[in-house]
Amino acid sequence: MNVFRLAGDMTHLISVLVLLLKIHTIKSCAGVSLKTQELYALVFSTRYLDIFTDFTSLYNTVMKLIFLGSSFSIVWYMRHHKLVQRSYDKDHDTFRHQFLVLPCLILALLIHEQFTFKEVMWTFSIYLEAVAILPQLVLLQRTRNIDNLTGQYVFFLGAYRSLYILNWIYRYFTEPHYVHWISTTSMFCVVLFCFGFTIFKWYLISVLLLTLSAWMSGFVQTLLYADFFYYYINSWKNNVKLTLQA
Amino acid sequence: SSKQPGHDEL
């Protein structure tokens, strides 16, 4: 395991802890999208089907259990905890997640490495993770005012994606058979960055890009954060409360 | 299936 992968896992873990902290201690989930959290629970349950059959390392197994446990407990808190569910912004969190799940499922059935149940589900989880943040980004745009913890949650998630990309680039050079699409993807990224699209155009483009490969989806997900990062860093630099422009 | 690239990641 390389340093980028470890740092990526740690920022991913921090993002989950930040969210749990907010929900558990402040008993509030204001600004948090239940749709995104449900999608993550689905992502982890379809990806970690091998948790009891293929052993990689103790680290892997423990982390998988943490991500499964935390995602389901966040969903449970937001749905069933009396105090927490009261702060849930139901009226703004209206993204239809079936529009993300179905295309990802069809795509996984069409484009995969091996046509086995576990492999197709793994591929589905990779595609779905790339777009699972969309309901959260839409909710952030609609509510405008974002509290610190929600902002930090999305920031750490974005950091995790960026570090995973560095990890893939590293593995590409150190493990010859690792990634095939990476040069194509990074070229796409440069072109897209040059055009400076906003979140919703990113979505259309990401659907197109997803058809190219599983590796691509990791990049797309990071691109979705680019817009958010811009405002996050600006608000931090100017020391003002984080708001998003429409 | 765990031999596929990327399956050792989270």
Side-chain angles (χ1 to χ4, degrees), chain A residues 44-106:
Chain A
F44 294 133
S45 14
T46 48
R47 185 173 309 167
Y48 299 157
L49 287 174
D50 62 353
I51 188 166
F52 297 115
T53 54
D54 299 293
F55 181 78
T56 313
S57 64
L58 184 65
Y59 171 85
N60 258 44
T61 308
V62 170
M63 290 294 270
K64 283 174 179 176
L65 286 171
I66 291 175
F67 287 134
L68 276 170
S70 59
S71 62
F72 276 97
S73 65
I74 288 168
V75 169
W76 181 86
Y77 263 109
M78 291 184 73
R79 276 179 171 275
H80 302 295
H81 191 283
K82 278 204 169 65
L83 277 172
V84 176
Q85 65 167 203
R86 215 176 290 166
S87 58
Y88 170 49
D89 196 357
K90 204 178 186 172
D91 299 331
H92 285 114
D93 190 22
T94 52
F95 200 99
R96 311 244 186 110
H97 39 2
Q98 62 267 38
F99 289 139
L100 297 178
V101 173
L102 268 179
C104 288
L105 192 61
I106 292 166

Short mmCIF file of all heavy atoms in Angstrom, two decimals, chain A residues 44-106:
data_model
loop_
_atom_site.label_atom_id
_atom_site.label_comp_id
_atom_site.label_asym_id
_atom_site.label_seq_id
_atom_site.Cartn_x
_atom_site.Cartn_y
_atom_site.Cartn_z
N PHE A 44 -21.35 0.53 -0.64
CA PHE A 44 -20.51 -0.33 0.21
C PHE A 44 -21.06 -1.75 0.27
O PHE A 44 -20.30 -2.71 0.26
CB PHE A 44 -20.38 0.25 1.62
CG PHE A 44 -19.62 1.54 1.64
CD1 PHE A 44 -20.10 2.65 2.34
CD2 PHE A 44 -18.42 1.68 0.95
CE1 PHE A 44 -19.39 3.84 2.35
CE2 PHE A 44 -17.71 2.88 0.96
CZ PHE A 44 -18.20 3.96 1.66
N SER A 45 -22.39 -1.90 0.32
CA SER A 45 -22.90 -3.28 0.42
C SER A 45 -22.69 -4.06 -0.87
O SER A 45 -22.54 -5.27 -0.82
CB SER A 45 -24.37 -3.34 0.87
OG SER A 45 -24.99 -2.12 0.78
N THR A 46 -22.70 -3.39 -2.03
CA THR A 46 -22.46 -4.13 -3.27
C THR A 46 -20.97 -4.33 -3.53
O THR A 46 -20.58 -5.29 -4.17
CB THR A 46 -23.09 -3.42 -4.48
OG1 THR A 46 -22.74 -2.04 -4.46
CG2 THR A 46 -24.60 -3.57 -4.48
N ARG A 47 -20.12 -3.43 -3.02
CA ARG A 47 -18.69 -3.58 -3.26
C ARG A 47 -18.04 -4.60 -2.34
O ARG A 47 -17.12 -5.30 -2.74
CB ARG A 47 -17.98 -2.23 -3.11
CG ARG A 47 -16.49 -2.34 -3.47
CD ARG A 47 -15.80 -1.02 -3.49
NE ARG A 47 -16.53 -0.07 -4.31
CZ ARG A 47 -16.29 1.24 -4.30
NH1 ARG A 47 -15.36 1.74 -3.52
NH2 ARG A 47 -16.97 2.06 -5.06
N TYR A 48 -18.51 -4.66 -1.10
CA TYR A 48 -17.83 -5.50 -0.12
C TYR A 48 -18.48 -6.88 0.01
O TYR A 48 -18.45 -7.49 1.07
CB TYR A 48 -17.80 -4.79 1.24
CG TYR A 48 -17.05 -3.48 1.21
CD1 TYR A 48 -17.30 -2.50 2.16
CD2 TYR A 48 -16.09 -3.20 0.23
CE1 TYR A 48 -16.62 -1.29 2.14
CE2 TYR A 48 -15.42 -1.99 0.19
CZ TYR A 48 -15.68 -1.04 1.15
OH TYR A 48 -15.02 0.16 1.14
N LEU A 49 -19.08 -7.38 -1.07
CA LEU A 49 -19.66 -8.72 -1.05
C LEU A 49 -18.61 -9.78 -0.75
O LEU A 49 -18.92 -10.89 -0.31
CB LEU A 49 -20.32 -9.02 -2.41
CG LEU A 49 -21.62 -8.30 -2.71
CD1 LEU A 49 -22.07 -8.58 -4.14
CD2 LEU A 49 -22.71 -8.71 -1.73
N ASP A 50 -17.34 -9.43 -1.00
CA ASP A 50 -16.26 -10.39 -0.80
C ASP A 50 -15.69 -10.34 0.62
O ASP A 50 -14.72 -11.02 0.92
CB ASP A 50 -15.13 -10.13 -1.82
CG ASP A 50 -14.51 -8.75 -1.65
OD1 ASP A 50 -15.03 -7.96 -0.83
OD2 ASP A 50 -13.51 -8.47 -2.32
N ILE A 51 -16.34 -9.56 1.49
CA ILE A 51 -15.74 -9.30 2.80
C ILE A 51 -15.44 -10.58 3.59
O ILE A 51 -14.43 -10.68 4.28
CB ILE A 51 -16.61 -8.31 3.62
CG1 ILE A 51 -15.90 -7.89 4.90
CG2 ILE A 51 -17.99 -8.85 3.92
CD1 ILE A 51 -16.50 -6.69 5.59
N PHE A 52 -16.32 -11.59 3.48
CA PHE A 52 -16.08 -12.81 4.25
C PHE A 52 -15.48 -13.94 3.41
O PHE A 52 -15.17 -14.99 3.92
CB PHE A 52 -17.38 -13.28 4.91
CG PHE A 52 -17.91 -12.28 5.91
CD1 PHE A 52 -19.11 -11.63 5.70
CD2 PHE A 52 -17.18 -11.98 7.06
CE1 PHE A 52 -19.58 -10.70 6.61
CE2 PHE A 52 -17.64 -11.04 7.97
CZ PHE A 52 -18.85 -10.40 7.75
N THR A 53 -15.34 -13.70 2.09
CA THR A 53 -14.82 -14.78 1.24
C THR A 53 -13.37 -14.56 0.80
O THR A 53 -12.60 -15.50 0.71
CB THR A 53 -15.69 -14.96 -0.01
OG1 THR A 53 -15.80 -13.69 -0.68
CG2 THR A 53 -17.07 -15.47 0.34
N ASP A 54 -13.00 -13.30 0.50
CA ASP A 54 -11.63 -13.04 0.07
C ASP A 54 -10.93 -12.16 1.08
O ASP A 54 -11.29 -11.00 1.26
CB ASP A 54 -11.62 -12.32 -1.29
CG ASP A 54 -12.28 -13.16 -2.36
OD1 ASP A 54 -11.72 -14.21 -2.71
OD2 ASP A 54 -13.37 -12.77 -2.83
N PHE A 55 -9.92 -12.72 1.71
CA PHE A 55 -9.20 -11.96 2.73
C PHE A 55 -7.98 -11.27 2.11
O PHE A 55 -7.14 -11.92 1.52
CB PHE A 55 -8.77 -12.88 3.88
CG PHE A 55 -8.04 -12.17 4.97
CD1 PHE A 55 -8.73 -11.41 5.92
CD2 PHE A 55 -6.65 -12.24 5.06
CE1 PHE A 55 -8.06 -10.75 6.92
CE2 PHE A 55 -5.97 -11.57 6.08
CZ PHE A 55 -6.68 -10.82 7.01
N THR A 56 -7.91 -9.93 2.21
CA THR A 56 -6.76 -9.19 1.70
C THR A 56 -5.81 -8.86 2.85
O THR A 56 -4.64 -9.20 2.82
CB THR A 56 -7.20 -7.88 1.00
OG1 THR A 56 -8.28 -8.19 0.12
CG2 THR A 56 -6.06 -7.27 0.22
N SER A 57 -6.35 -8.20 3.85
CA SER A 57 -5.56 -7.88 5.05
C SER A 57 -6.52 -7.51 6.17
O SER A 57 -7.70 -7.21 5.90
CB SER A 57 -4.62 -6.70 4.77
OG SER A 57 -5.37 -5.55 4.50
N LEU A 58 -6.02 -7.51 7.39
CA LEU A 58 -6.85 -7.14 8.53
C LEU A 58 -7.31 -5.69 8.37
O LEU A 58 -8.47 -5.35 8.65
CB LEU A 58 -6.05 -7.31 9.83
CG LEU A 58 -6.82 -7.04 11.12
CD1 LEU A 58 -7.95 -8.06 11.31
CD2 LEU A 58 -5.90 -7.05 12.34
N TYR A 59 -6.37 -4.85 7.88
CA TYR A 59 -6.68 -3.44 7.63
C TYR A 59 -7.91 -3.31 6.72
O TYR A 59 -8.85 -2.58 7.02
CB TYR A 59 -5.46 -2.77 6.99
CG TYR A 59 -5.69 -1.38 6.47
CD1 TYR A 59 -5.60 -0.28 7.30
CD2 TYR A 59 -6.00 -1.16 5.11
CE1 TYR A 59 -5.81 1.00 6.81
CE2 TYR A 59 -6.21 0.10 4.62
CZ TYR A 59 -6.12 1.18 5.47
OH TYR A 59 -6.34 2.45 4.99
N ASN A 60 -7.87 -4.05 5.59
CA ASN A 60 -8.98 -4.00 4.63
C ASN A 60 -10.31 -4.42 5.26
O ASN A 60 -11.32 -3.75 5.08
CB ASN A 60 -8.67 -4.91 3.43
CG ASN A 60 -8.22 -4.10 2.25
OD1 ASN A 60 -7.41 -3.19 2.39
ND2 ASN A 60 -8.74 -4.42 1.08
N THR A 61 -10.28 -5.54 5.98
CA THR A 61 -11.51 -6.06 6.58
C THR A 61 -12.08 -5.07 7.59
O THR A 61 -13.28 -4.79 7.58
CB THR A 61 -11.24 -7.42 7.25
OG1 THR A 61 -10.59 -8.26 6.29
CG2 THR A 61 -12.52 -8.07 7.70
N VAL A 62 -11.20 -4.52 8.45
CA VAL A 62 -11.67 -3.59 9.47
C VAL A 62 -12.25 -2.33 8.82
O VAL A 62 -13.34 -1.87 9.19
CB VAL A 62 -10.51 -3.23 10.44
CG1 VAL A 62 -10.91 -2.08 11.35
CG2 VAL A 62 -10.11 -4.45 11.25
N MET A 63 -11.55 -1.79 7.82
CA MET A 63 -12.03 -0.59 7.14
C MET A 63 -13.37 -0.84 6.45
O MET A 63 -14.27 0.00 6.48
CB MET A 63 -11.00 -0.10 6.11
CG MET A 63 -9.74 0.47 6.73
SD MET A 63 -10.00 1.99 7.65
CE MET A 63 -9.76 3.20 6.37
N LYS A 64 -13.50 -2.00 5.83
CA LYS A 64 -14.75 -2.34 5.17
C LYS A 64 -15.90 -2.36 6.18
O LYS A 64 -16.98 -1.84 5.92
CB LYS A 64 -14.65 -3.71 4.48
CG LYS A 64 -13.88 -3.67 3.17
CD LYS A 64 -13.68 -5.06 2.60
CE LYS A 64 -12.94 -5.00 1.28
NZ LYS A 64 -12.65 -6.35 0.74
N LEU A 65 -15.63 -2.97 7.34
CA LEU A 65 -16.66 -3.03 8.39
C LEU A 65 -17.03 -1.63 8.86
O LEU A 65 -18.20 -1.33 9.10
CB LEU A 65 -16.18 -3.90 9.56
CG LEU A 65 -16.15 -5.41 9.29
CD1 LEU A 65 -15.46 -6.16 10.42
CD2 LEU A 65 -17.58 -5.95 9.10
N ILE A 66 -16.02 -0.78 8.99
CA ILE A 66 -16.27 0.60 9.44
C ILE A 66 -17.15 1.34 8.42
O ILE A 66 -18.13 1.99 8.78
CB ILE A 66 -14.94 1.37 9.65
CG1 ILE A 66 -14.20 0.81 10.87
CG2 ILE A 66 -15.21 2.87 9.83
CD1 ILE A 66 -12.83 1.42 11.09
N PHE A 67 -16.80 1.22 7.13
CA PHE A 67 -17.57 1.95 6.12
C PHE A 67 -18.99 1.41 5.99
O PHE A 67 -19.94 2.18 5.82
CB PHE A 67 -16.85 1.91 4.76
CG PHE A 67 -15.62 2.78 4.73
CD1 PHE A 67 -14.42 2.32 4.20
CD2 PHE A 67 -15.65 4.07 5.23
CE1 PHE A 67 -13.29 3.13 4.18
CE2 PHE A 67 -14.52 4.88 5.23
CZ PHE A 67 -13.34 4.41 4.69
N LEU A 68 -19.14 0.08 6.10
CA LEU A 68 -20.48 -0.50 6.07
C LEU A 68 -21.29 -0.04 7.28
O LEU A 68 -22.41 0.45 7.15
CB LEU A 68 -20.39 -2.03 6.08
CG LEU A 68 -20.17 -2.73 4.73
CD1 LEU A 68 -19.86 -4.21 4.95
CD2 LEU A 68 -21.38 -2.57 3.85
N GLY A 69 -20.68 -0.18 8.45
CA GLY A 69 -21.38 0.16 9.70
C GLY A 69 -21.75 1.63 9.75
O GLY A 69 -22.89 1.98 10.08
N SER A 70 -20.80 2.50 9.39
CA SER A 70 -21.07 3.94 9.50
C SER A 70 -22.13 4.37 8.50
O SER A 70 -23.02 5.16 8.84
CB SER A 70 -19.77 4.73 9.31
OG SER A 70 -19.21 4.45 8.06
N SER A 71 -22.07 3.85 7.27
CA SER A 71 -23.05 4.32 6.28
C SER A 71 -24.46 3.88 6.67
O SER A 71 -25.41 4.66 6.56
CB SER A 71 -22.69 3.83 4.88
OG SER A 71 -22.69 2.43 4.81
N PHE A 72 -24.61 2.65 7.18
CA PHE A 72 -25.94 2.20 7.57
C PHE A 72 -26.42 2.91 8.83
O PHE A 72 -27.61 3.21 8.96
CB PHE A 72 -25.98 0.68 7.76
CG PHE A 72 -26.19 -0.05 6.46
CD1 PHE A 72 -25.12 -0.58 5.76
CD2 PHE A 72 -27.47 -0.16 5.92
CE1 PHE A 72 -25.31 -1.23 4.54
CE2 PHE A 72 -27.67 -0.80 4.71
CZ PHE A 72 -26.59 -1.34 4.02
N SER A 73 -25.50 3.22 9.76
CA SER A 73 -25.96 3.90 10.97
C SER A 73 -26.34 5.34 10.67
O SER A 73 -27.28 5.88 11.27
CB SER A 73 -24.92 3.82 12.08
OG SER A 73 -23.76 4.51 11.73
N ILE A 74 -25.66 5.99 9.71
CA ILE A 74 -26.04 7.36 9.33
C ILE A 74 -27.46 7.35 8.73
O ILE A 74 -28.30 8.18 9.07
CB ILE A 74 -25.01 7.95 8.33
CG1 ILE A 74 -23.70 8.27 9.06
CG2 ILE A 74 -25.56 9.23 7.69
CD1 ILE A 74 -22.53 8.58 8.16
N VAL A 75 -27.71 6.37 7.84
CA VAL A 75 -29.05 6.27 7.24
C VAL A 75 -30.09 6.01 8.33
O VAL A 75 -31.16 6.63 8.35
CB VAL A 75 -29.08 5.15 6.17
CG1 VAL A 75 -30.51 4.85 5.74
CG2 VAL A 75 -28.22 5.52 4.97
N TRP A 76 -29.75 5.12 9.28
CA TRP A 76 -30.70 4.81 10.35
C TRP A 76 -31.01 6.06 11.17
O TRP A 76 -32.17 6.37 11.44
CB TRP A 76 -30.14 3.70 11.25
CG TRP A 76 -31.11 3.34 12.34
CD1 TRP A 76 -32.13 2.45 12.26
CD2 TRP A 76 -31.18 3.93 13.64
NE1 TRP A 76 -32.83 2.44 13.44
CE2 TRP A 76 -32.28 3.33 14.30
CE3 TRP A 76 -30.43 4.90 14.31
CZ2 TRP A 76 -32.64 3.67 15.60
CZ3 TRP A 76 -30.79 5.24 15.62
CH2 TRP A 76 -31.88 4.63 16.25
N TYR A 77 -29.95 6.81 11.55
CA TYR A 77 -30.13 8.04 12.34
C TYR A 77 -31.04 9.02 11.61
O TYR A 77 -31.96 9.58 12.18
CB TYR A 77 -28.77 8.71 12.57
CG TYR A 77 -28.14 8.40 13.91
CD1 TYR A 77 -27.03 7.58 14.00
CD2 TYR A 77 -28.66 8.95 15.07
CE1 TYR A 77 -26.44 7.29 15.23
CE2 TYR A 77 -28.08 8.68 16.30
CZ TYR A 77 -26.98 7.85 16.37
OH TYR A 77 -26.42 7.56 17.58
N MET A 78 -30.78 9.22 10.32
CA MET A 78 -31.54 10.22 9.57
C MET A 78 -32.99 9.81 9.36
O MET A 78 -33.88 10.65 9.24
CB MET A 78 -30.86 10.50 8.23
CG MET A 78 -29.53 11.22 8.39
SD MET A 78 -28.77 11.63 6.83
CE MET A 78 -29.83 12.97 6.27
N ARG A 79 -33.23 8.51 9.29
CA ARG A 79 -34.59 8.02 9.05
C ARG A 79 -35.37 7.84 10.34
O ARG A 79 -36.57 8.12 10.38
CB ARG A 79 -34.54 6.66 8.33
CG ARG A 79 -34.39 6.77 6.84
CD ARG A 79 -34.34 5.36 6.26
NE ARG A 79 -34.40 5.39 4.82
CZ ARG A 79 -35.53 5.43 4.13
NH1 ARG A 79 -36.68 5.44 4.77
NH2 ARG A 79 -35.51 5.47 2.81
N HIS A 80 -34.72 7.36 11.40
CA HIS A 80 -35.48 6.89 12.56
C HIS A 80 -35.22 7.61 13.87
O HIS A 80 -36.03 7.51 14.79
CB HIS A 80 -35.24 5.38 12.77
CG HIS A 80 -35.62 4.57 11.56
ND1 HIS A 80 -36.91 4.48 11.11
CD2 HIS A 80 -34.87 3.86 10.69
CE1 HIS A 80 -36.95 3.72 10.02
NE2 HIS A 80 -35.71 3.34 9.74
N HIS A 81 -34.08 8.29 14.02
CA HIS A 81 -33.82 8.96 15.29
C HIS A 81 -34.70 10.21 15.40
O HIS A 81 -34.68 11.07 14.51
CB HIS A 81 -32.34 9.34 15.39
CG HIS A 81 -31.93 9.78 16.76
ND1 HIS A 81 -32.23 11.04 17.24
CD2 HIS A 81 -31.27 9.15 17.76
CE1 HIS A 81 -31.76 11.15 18.47
NE2 HIS A 81 -31.19 10.01 18.81
N LYS A 82 -35.44 10.30 16.49
CA LYS A 82 -36.46 11.35 16.62
C LYS A 82 -35.91 12.76 16.45
O LYS A 82 -36.48 13.59 15.73
CB LYS A 82 -37.17 11.21 17.98
CG LYS A 82 -38.26 10.16 17.96
CD LYS A 82 -39.30 10.42 19.04
CE LYS A 82 -40.52 9.51 18.84
NZ LYS A 82 -40.18 8.07 19.01
N LEU A 83 -34.80 13.06 17.15
CA LEU A 83 -34.25 14.41 17.09
C LEU A 83 -33.57 14.68 15.75
O LEU A 83 -33.74 15.73 15.16
CB LEU A 83 -33.23 14.61 18.21
CG LEU A 83 -33.80 14.99 19.57
CD1 LEU A 83 -32.71 14.98 20.63
CD2 LEU A 83 -34.48 16.35 19.51
N VAL A 84 -32.80 13.70 15.29
CA VAL A 84 -32.01 13.89 14.07
C VAL A 84 -32.92 14.05 12.86
O VAL A 84 -32.73 14.95 12.04
CB VAL A 84 -31.03 12.71 13.85
CG1 VAL A 84 -30.28 12.88 12.54
CG2 VAL A 84 -30.04 12.64 15.00
N GLN A 85 -33.95 13.21 12.76
CA GLN A 85 -34.81 13.27 11.57
C GLN A 85 -35.56 14.60 11.46
O GLN A 85 -35.95 15.01 10.37
CB GLN A 85 -35.78 12.07 11.53
CG GLN A 85 -36.78 12.08 12.66
CD GLN A 85 -37.91 11.08 12.43
OE1 GLN A 85 -38.97 11.24 12.99
NE2 GLN A 85 -37.68 10.05 11.62
N ARG A 86 -35.73 15.29 12.60
CA ARG A 86 -36.43 16.57 12.59
C ARG A 86 -35.64 17.64 11.82
O ARG A 86 -36.22 18.54 11.23
CB ARG A 86 -36.66 17.01 14.04
CG ARG A 86 -37.96 17.75 14.24
CD ARG A 86 -38.18 18.08 15.69
NE ARG A 86 -38.47 16.90 16.52
CZ ARG A 86 -38.43 16.91 17.85
NH1 ARG A 86 -38.07 18.00 18.49
NH2 ARG A 86 -38.72 15.81 18.52
N SER A 87 -34.31 17.51 11.86
CA SER A 87 -33.49 18.53 11.20
C SER A 87 -33.21 18.19 9.73
O SER A 87 -32.55 18.94 9.03
CB SER A 87 -32.15 18.68 11.94
OG SER A 87 -31.49 17.43 11.97
N TYR A 88 -33.75 17.05 9.28
CA TYR A 88 -33.51 16.64 7.89
C TYR A 88 -34.30 17.53 6.92
O TYR A 88 -35.50 17.72 7.08
CB TYR A 88 -33.90 15.17 7.73
CG TYR A 88 -33.92 14.67 6.30
CD1 TYR A 88 -32.84 14.91 5.44
CD2 TYR A 88 -35.01 13.97 5.79
CE1 TYR A 88 -32.87 14.46 4.14
CE2 TYR A 88 -35.04 13.52 4.49
CZ TYR A 88 -33.97 13.77 3.67
OH TYR A 88 -33.99 13.32 2.37
N ASP A 89 -33.59 18.05 5.95
CA ASP A 89 -34.16 19.01 4.99
C ASP A 89 -34.83 18.25 3.83
O ASP A 89 -34.34 18.25 2.71
CB ASP A 89 -33.03 19.90 4.47
CG ASP A 89 -33.56 21.15 3.80
OD1 ASP A 89 -34.79 21.28 3.69
OD2 ASP A 89 -32.74 21.98 3.39
N LYS A 90 -35.97 17.65 4.15
CA LYS A 90 -36.65 16.77 3.20
C LYS A 90 -37.07 17.49 1.91
O LYS A 90 -36.98 16.94 0.81
CB LYS A 90 -37.89 16.20 3.89
CG LYS A 90 -38.37 14.88 3.33
CD LYS A 90 -39.57 14.41 4.15
CE LYS A 90 -40.01 13.02 3.72
NZ LYS A 90 -41.03 12.48 4.61
N ASP A 91 -37.57 18.73 2.08
CA ASP A 91 -38.13 19.44 0.93
C ASP A 91 -37.10 19.81 -0.12
O ASP A 91 -37.43 20.00 -1.28
CB ASP A 91 -38.85 20.71 1.41
CG ASP A 91 -39.99 20.35 2.35
OD1 ASP A 91 -40.54 19.24 2.19
OD2 ASP A 91 -40.30 21.16 3.25
N HIS A 92 -35.84 19.96 0.32
CA HIS A 92 -34.80 20.32 -0.65
C HIS A 92 -34.05 19.11 -1.19
O HIS A 92 -33.38 19.18 -2.20
CB HIS A 92 -33.80 21.30 -0.03
CG HIS A 92 -34.36 22.68 0.10
ND1 HIS A 92 -34.62 23.26 1.32
CD2 HIS A 92 -34.75 23.57 -0.84
CE1 HIS A 92 -35.13 24.46 1.13
NE2 HIS A 92 -35.22 24.68 -0.16
N ASP A 93 -34.18 17.99 -0.46
CA ASP A 93 -33.43 16.78 -0.85
C ASP A 93 -34.32 15.91 -1.74
O ASP A 93 -34.75 14.84 -1.35
CB ASP A 93 -33.01 16.02 0.42
CG ASP A 93 -32.03 14.89 0.11
OD1 ASP A 93 -31.36 14.95 -0.93
OD2 ASP A 93 -31.94 13.97 0.93
N THR A 94 -34.57 16.40 -2.96
CA THR A 94 -35.57 15.73 -3.79
C THR A 94 -34.97 15.01 -4.99
O THR A 94 -35.68 14.59 -5.88
CB THR A 94 -36.60 16.74 -4.31
OG1 THR A 94 -35.88 17.83 -4.92
CG2 THR A 94 -37.47 17.26 -3.20
N PHE A 95 -33.66 14.89 -5.01
CA PHE A 95 -33.01 14.21 -6.13
C PHE A 95 -33.54 12.77 -6.26
O PHE A 95 -33.64 12.06 -5.27
CB PHE A 95 -31.50 14.19 -5.88
CG PHE A 95 -30.68 13.97 -7.12
CD1 PHE A 95 -30.09 15.03 -7.78
CD2 PHE A 95 -30.49 12.68 -7.62
CE1 PHE A 95 -29.33 14.82 -8.92
CE2 PHE A 95 -29.74 12.48 -8.76
CZ PHE A 95 -29.16 13.54 -9.41
N ARG A 96 -33.91 12.37 -7.47
CA ARG A 96 -34.42 11.00 -7.64
C ARG A 96 -33.26 10.04 -7.83
O ARG A 96 -32.64 10.02 -8.89
CB ARG A 96 -35.32 10.94 -8.88
CG ARG A 96 -36.36 12.04 -8.91
CD ARG A 96 -37.75 11.43 -8.84
NE ARG A 96 -38.76 12.46 -9.00
CZ ARG A 96 -39.52 12.57 -10.08
NH1 ARG A 96 -39.40 11.73 -11.08
NH2 ARG A 96 -40.42 13.53 -10.15
N HIS A 97 -32.99 9.26 -6.78
CA HIS A 97 -31.79 8.42 -6.90
C HIS A 97 -31.93 7.25 -7.86
O HIS A 97 -30.94 6.69 -8.29
CB HIS A 97 -31.15 8.02 -5.59
CG HIS A 97 -32.08 7.68 -4.47
ND1 HIS A 97 -33.43 7.67 -4.58
CD2 HIS A 97 -31.80 7.35 -3.19
CE1 HIS A 97 -33.95 7.35 -3.41
NE2 HIS A 97 -32.99 7.15 -2.55
N GLN A 98 -33.18 6.91 -8.22
CA GLN A 98 -33.30 5.81 -9.19
C GLN A 98 -32.68 6.18 -10.54
O GLN A 98 -32.25 5.31 -11.29
CB GLN A 98 -34.76 5.35 -9.36
CG GLN A 98 -35.71 6.39 -9.88
CD GLN A 98 -36.40 7.14 -8.74
OE1 GLN A 98 -35.79 7.44 -7.72
NE2 GLN A 98 -37.67 7.47 -8.92
N PHE A 99 -32.62 7.48 -10.81
CA PHE A 99 -31.99 7.92 -12.06
C PHE A 99 -30.47 7.73 -12.05
O PHE A 99 -29.83 7.82 -13.09
CB PHE A 99 -32.34 9.39 -12.35
CG PHE A 99 -33.77 9.58 -12.75
CD1 PHE A 99 -34.50 10.66 -12.26
CD2 PHE A 99 -34.39 8.68 -13.60
CE1 PHE A 99 -35.83 10.83 -12.61
CE2 PHE A 99 -35.72 8.84 -13.96
CZ PHE A 99 -36.44 9.92 -13.46
N LEU A 100 -29.93 7.53 -10.88
CA LEU A 100 -28.50 7.24 -10.79
C LEU A 100 -28.27 5.73 -10.73
O LEU A 100 -27.37 5.19 -11.36
CB LEU A 100 -27.88 7.90 -9.56
CG LEU A 100 -27.90 9.43 -9.50
CD1 LEU A 100 -27.30 9.91 -8.20
CD2 LEU A 100 -27.14 10.02 -10.68
N VAL A 101 -29.13 5.05 -9.96
CA VAL A 101 -28.93 3.61 -9.72
C VAL A 101 -29.13 2.80 -11.00
O VAL A 101 -28.29 1.97 -11.35
CB VAL A 101 -29.87 3.10 -8.60
CG1 VAL A 101 -29.79 1.59 -8.47
CG2 VAL A 101 -29.53 3.78 -7.28
N LEU A 102 -30.24 3.07 -11.72
CA LEU A 102 -30.54 2.27 -12.91
C LEU A 102 -29.47 2.37 -13.99
O LEU A 102 -28.98 1.35 -14.47
CB LEU A 102 -31.92 2.65 -13.45
CG LEU A 102 -33.08 1.80 -12.92
CD1 LEU A 102 -34.41 2.27 -13.49
CD2 LEU A 102 -32.86 0.32 -13.25
N PRO A 103 -29.08 3.59 -14.41
CA PRO A 103 -28.02 3.67 -15.44
C PRO A 103 -26.74 2.97 -15.01
O PRO A 103 -26.10 2.31 -15.83
CB PRO A 103 -27.79 5.17 -15.61
CG PRO A 103 -29.02 5.81 -15.13
CD PRO A 103 -29.57 4.93 -14.05
N CYS A 104 -26.39 3.11 -13.73
CA CYS A 104 -25.16 2.47 -13.24
C CYS A 104 -25.28 0.95 -13.32
O CYS A 104 -24.31 0.26 -13.66
CB CYS A 104 -24.87 2.89 -11.80
SG CYS A 104 -24.32 4.58 -11.67
N LEU A 105 -26.47 0.43 -13.00
CA LEU A 105 -26.68 -1.01 -13.04
C LEU A 105 -26.60 -1.53 -14.48
O LEU A 105 -25.93 -2.53 -14.76
CB LEU A 105 -28.05 -1.34 -12.43
CG LEU A 105 -28.32 -2.82 -12.13
CD1 LEU A 105 -27.33 -3.36 -11.12
CD2 LEU A 105 -29.74 -3.00 -11.60
N ILE A 106 -27.24 -0.81 -15.39
CA ILE A 106 -27.21 -1.20 -16.81
C ILE A 106 -25.78 -1.15 -17.33
O ILE A 106 -25.31 -2.07 -18.01
CB ILE A 106 -28.15 -0.28 -17.63
CG1 ILE A 106 -29.60 -0.55 -17.24
CG2 ILE A 106 -27.96 -0.51 -19.13
CD1 ILE A 106 -30.58 0.50 -17.73
#
